[in-house]
Structure formats: structure tokens, C-alpha cells
Amino acid sequence: MRTFFIALTRNAISLVGAAITTAAALLILTLFAIGLVGHEGGPYIGILAYLILPAIFLVGLALIPVGIVRERRRERAAEARGEPAPTFPVVDLNRKPTRKAVLVFLAMSGVNLVILATATYKGVEVMDSTEFCGQACHTVMDPEFTTYQSSPHARVKCVECHIGPGANWFVKSKLSGAWQVVAVAFDLYPRPIPTPVENLRPARETCEQCHWPTKFVGDRLKVLTHYAEDEQNTELKSVLLLRVGGIQGRKSHGIHWHVDPANRIRYRADATRETIHEVELTLPDGTVKRWLPPQRAANGQAAEQGAAGAPEVEPEWREMDCVDCHNRPTHVYKLPDRSIDEAIAEGRLDRFLPYIRREGLRALEESYASHDEARQAIAERITAFYRENYPELASSDGPRIAEAAGVLGDIYCRNVFPTMNIGWGTYPNHIGHTSFDGCFRCHNDEHATADGETISQDCSTCHSLLAMEEEQPEILGQLQP
């Protein structure tokens, strides 16, 4: 042991290795202690404490024998030349200056370790933050960060959905992110960013940390408010009874029947998952049903058989989960008509400005080169409309008109990003079937089994329509006390 210690302290490489190993060990113990007191600190803490630091610890250990071997070779070479062998330095703790120097060294080492541990923890905390994810690469992430801030998940950290718990997916995400760093640095990224995101972690390991598809939630009343393009911006309401469904305590039914673990649904589609070519259902009793597009169903041909004239199909089967319908749970890009309806309903856009719904929609649907240009052009167009058609209103209520134009500019800038080639409808939302195909990608009465059974398009499967664009729906009057 004495010989080893002498060899260890006589060369810089082994000393550096010992310092690295000691620091890594102390940091691991510090982070472990932080975890013991109940502070989780997000997914990065476990990665740092149990992946990165152990790797550094091993590097330090490897440096120690490397330095010892190198020093012994130098000693043999010195002996061969007749040079005296180096002696072990004497540290006399009986000398007051030596004791002071040792105590100062130990105290400073302790302070440095505390600083390093704190800085490491804070560094992890920063990387774990939403601001780091959304603003570090501003041009690329600006659309995602903007839509995130006004989404239902605005208080959920990015890493909780995009990485989730555990080290495995953290490593995968960082390996995937290595190319993304290069792409951003050299301006090689596509515009817009293509979707769906490949190799996304299964929803059962992320979404279902909070949302329980097995929880029975029954039926839900949904009131959709729409405004006509007339002078009064007439308010119209549609009322739906959504059969959200579930499986807790009873047979699964309704919309969430699709994610009942007892029903395994797989499909093949094109790369965008907008066109579904083949659907397979495995029922709890083991029965397997397969639906094909009309041409192949008629001939009994499977997708892999390459039917003549059939569109190209992705070779991989995908098992259906939450994001096949909820494909925009956070980064929601809304369409202009729905955005205006919501703004009027929430009181942000003045409903009592004549034709504001119609003129606002026309202004939003124009093409602009930038957000600044859009805000200016929208304001000019709205102001000009009222100045030409309602001069008295334009003269007396200029601030109201300017405020409305500002709200329309906000709507545009929250959903359209010219620098990333993101326009209205660039990213389809699969919830429902009014703006995009959504449910009708499968439920179109066209996919059929070999014996002619189709995937139903019956509206009552998922909802009951109680009122359709009515000014005063009778059903709402009945429901009010």
C-alpha cells in the first residue's frame, strides 16, 4: 500500500485521475443524498448521478494505473542512466506552516466540491427547464414554444412528455438530439419540421403518467360556439353529447374503447399517418380482424403483397395509442375561423364591430412574409374597411378598431410562422373530423374485411348531435335551471 501511494503521488497523471475519481464519488454521494431527502429534480438528476458521473469516475480510475505504469518506466530509465531514484516528499505536520498549508488545501477542496456540486445541480436544473428547451434554439423552436405557452399543458415541463422518467429514453433522446444540434448550427434543419415525430416514446409511458384511459368518464356535453359572417356576427351554437367512454368497472365503449388494453389495434399508413391503408384489430378472445382499402379488400390482397396501383405503405406496423388521435396535445396550431370564434367568445375580439368575423377571417387568410408585416397589413386592412364602410364608427371608435386589429395580429402570430414555412393547416389536428380527416382516416365506410365488414362511419358511435348551429338551442334552455 505504501509503495502504491508513493507511486500514485509521484506523477501528475495518477494525481489527476485520483482527483477526478474523488470528485466524481463525492458528487454521486451528494446527488444520492439529495434524492434521499425527497428532491427528485427531474429526469436529468438520475442520469447525471448514475450514468455520467460513474463514467467520469471510471475514467479517473483508469488514469491512476496509466500514470503509475508510466512513472515506473521513467524510474527504470533513470536507473539505467545511473540517475538517483526520486524520493517520496516529506510532509512534516509538526511544522506549523506545513499544517496550515494542509488545512488550507483541505478547506479549499471542500469549498470547491460544494461549489461544483451546486453548479452541477443548477446546470441540470437549467437543462431541465422549459425555457432551455423552448428558447435555446429560438428560430427552430419558436413555433413550438409559442403554441406550448397557450396550450392545456402550458404548466407541464417539456421533458415530462418528450423524455419521461428513467435513463433509457434520456439516452435515446440525446443521441437523436446530437444530429439536431449539428443541423441547427449549420442551418440544415427542414422548414417546417416534419411530423409525426419518429421514434416518439409510447404514450403509455408518458401521457398515462397523468391521464388514465381506463378511468370511466361517461358522456360529456360539449357546446361549440360559432359566429356567422353577417353584420351582427350572429352567435350560433352546436351541442354534442360526446361518448368519451372508458372501461373501469364495465365493458369498454365510446371513444376510449380504442385504448382499452384488451383491444389491440395496429395499422399501416403513409409516412404522415394521414392516409391509413391497413387496420388490424385483435379482440380479447384472440379473434383477429383486418381491414384493407377498397381495391385490395375486393381482391383479398394484403398491403405487403403490393397490389397494382396501391399507394406506397410504410412497412412497419404501428400500435395505436393516445397520440394517434391526440396528435397535437400541446403544440396546437389552430385554424383562422376557429381562432376568431374563440377570440369573440372569450371577449378578446369585439363582437359588436360589424362584420369583424368576416373581415378578420379574410385578413388572416392573406399571405405575409413575416409577423411584423402581418400585424401592419392586418391593421391597415381592418382600419380601411371601417373607414370606407362605417366612417362614423371609424371616427368615434378608432381605439376599438385598433384593438381588434391587434387581436387578429396576435392570432396570426400564434399560429403562422413564415420563417419556418408554417401556414394555416400545415400541422393537421386529428381530434374530430370537421377541419381535417381525423377520425375519418379509418372510420370512412371504405376500409373493409375480406367478408365486406367496414369500419363504421355512424355518427352515433362517438356522439349525439343535439343542436347544429342554432341561435338559441332548445336543449340548452332545458338544461338550465
Side-chain angles (χ1 to χ4, degrees):
M1 180 61 69
R2 181 175 181 274
T3 303
F4 171 77
F5 189 68
I6 293 172
L8 173 65
T9 56
R10 277 182 177 173
N11 70 90
I13 295 177
S14 294
L15 281 173
V16 170
I20 291 174
T21 299
T22 303
L26 290 173
L27 285 172
I28 292 171
L29 293 175
T30 301
L31 293 175
F32 179 71
I34 290 173
L36 285 180
V37 298
H39 192 93
E40 297 180 0
Y44 290 136
I45 289 293
I47 300 302
L48 177 66
Y50 305 120
L51 277 180
I52 298 175
L53 287 177
I56 295 173
F57 183 85
L58 292 174
V59 169
L61 285 179
L63 289 175
I64 293 174
V66 169
I68 292 175
V69 170
R70 182 173 179 272
E71 184 64 22
R72 286 179 177 172
R73 288 179 178 175
R74 292 179 60 187
E75 290 177 3
R76 293 193 192 101
E79 290 175 1
R81 294 192 300 268
E83 298 175 0
T87 58
F88 184 70
V90 177
V91 179
D92 188 357
L93 294 179
N94 292 313
R95 298 180 68 246
K96 188 174 182 179
T98 304
R99 290 200 304 274
K100 284 185 178 180
V102 170
L103 289 175
V104 169
F105 172 77
L106 292 176
M108 292 303 297
S109 297
V111 171
N112 288 337
L113 286 173
V114 171
I115 293 173
L116 182 59
T118 303
T120 301
Y121 180 80
K122 293 302 292 182
V124 169
E125 192 176 55
V126 168
M127 288 189 295
D128 197 20
S129 68
T130 298
E131 291 73 20
F132 178 83
C133 295
Q135 296 177 312
C137 302
H138 178 73
T139 302
V140 185
M141 294 306 299
D142 182 40
E144 304 304 309
F145 189 58
T146 300
T147 52
Y148 159 83
Q149 289 175 300
S150 58
S151 78
H153 291 97
R155 299 183 66 181
V156 180
K157 290 184 177 181
C158 304
V159 293
E160 293 182 33
C161 296
H162 286 274
I163 297 178
N168 185 32
W169 278 91
F170 173 84
V171 174
K172 289 182 180 180
S173 69
K174 294 309 163 187
L175 290 175
S176 172
W179 166 248
Q180 295 172 13
V181 171
V182 174
V184 171
F186 294 97
D187 195 18
L188 300 175
Y189 53 88
R191 297 175 175 83
I193 302 301
T195 57
V197 177
E198 297 295 335
N199 302 317
L200 192 67
R201 189 168 186 177
R204 288 185 173 89
E205 300 175 21
T206 52
C207 305
E208 293 185 21
Q209 298 295 311
C210 299
H211 304 280
W212 302 350
T214 57
K215 179 72 174 176
F216 179 76
V217 294
D219 297 342
R220 287 189 176 180
L221 190 72
K222 188 173 183 65
V223 180
L224 303 175
T225 303
H226 170 67
Y227 295 88
E229 295 186 4
D230 56 12
E231 185 177 25
Q232 293 76 30
N233 306 298
T234 303
E235 184 178 84
L236 304 172
K237 291 185 180 294
S238 298
V239 184
L240 302 173
L241 186 65
L242 289 177
R243 294 185 172 85
V244 180
I247 65 171
Q248 185 172 325
R250 63 193 71 186
K251 183 179 178 181
S252 63
H253 69 285
I255 298 169
H256 281 166
W257 171 90
H258 294 81
V259 288
D260 182 346
N263 302 317
R264 187 188 181 202
I265 303 174
R266 302 193 305 162
Y267 68 88
R268 281 177 173 171
D270 65 350
T272 65
R273 299 179 192 163
E274 296 299 315
T275 302
I276 309 297
H277 297 297
E278 190 170 3
V279 181
E280 180 186 87
L281 167 65
T282 303
L283 294 170
D285 62 2
T287 302
V288 177
K289 294 184 178 182
R290 182 173 292 184
W291 288 266
L292 303 174
Q295 301 88 345
R296 292 203 298 276
N299 299 325
Q301 294 173 307
E304 60 267 22
Q305 292 176 307
E312 184 177 351
V313 183
E314 290 292 293
E316 298 293 329
W317 283 95
R318 171 175 169 78
E319 185 164 353
M320 185 176 181
D321 66 12
C322 306
V323 298
D324 288 299
C325 295
H326 299 273
N327 67 314
R328 311 301 307 181
T330 299
H331 307 289
V332 183
Y333 296 85
K334 298 177 181 178
L335 295 177
D337 54 347
R338 183 161 296 182
S339 298
I340 290 180
D341 287 340
E342 289 181 0
I344 296 175
E346 293 168 3
R348 292 184 287 114
L349 189 61
D350 192 342
R351 176 190 168 188
F352 299 102
L353 287 174
Y355 290 109
I356 188 61
R357 208 268 186 188
R358 186 191 70 184
E359 295 304 311
L361 184 59
R362 291 176 178 177
L364 289 177
E365 289 178 338
E366 291 292 328
S367 179
Y368 307 105
S370 67
H371 283 172
D372 289 339
E373 179 184 317
R375 287 186 182 278
Q376 181 178 349
I378 290 172
E380 291 175 353
R381 177 168 183 151
I382 296 299
T383 302
F385 171 78
Y386 288 106
R387 185 172 58 246
E388 294 170 8
N389 297 278
Y390 298 90
E392 293 183 4
L393 179 65
S395 175
S396 62
D397 286 337
R400 285 175 60 202
I401 296 171
E403 183 179 358
V407 172
L408 292 171
D410 291 340
I411 291 173
Y412 184 90
C413 294
R414 287 195 188 107
N415 297 284
V416 179
F417 298 85
T419 56
M420 287 296 294
N421 294 329
I422 297 175
W424 300 110
T426 296
Y427 293 119
N429 193 328
H430 295 157
I431 289 293
H433 49 75
T434 54
S435 301
F436 302 98
D437 286 344
C439 309
F440 289 166
R441 291 174 299 152
C442 295
H443 291 268
N444 53 17
D445 275 333
E446 293 181 1
H447 292 79
T449 62
D451 58 4
E453 180 184 352
T454 62
I455 302 178
S456 175
Q457 200 180 51
D458 185 359
C459 299
S460 63
T461 302
C462 296
H463 57 70
S464 295
L465 185 61
L466 305 179
M468 184 64 180
E469 295 193 357
E470 300 177 15
E471 290 190 46
Q472 295 180 337
E474 182 181 353
I475 183 65
L476 294 183
Q478 295 172 352
L479 292 174
Q480 291 176 352

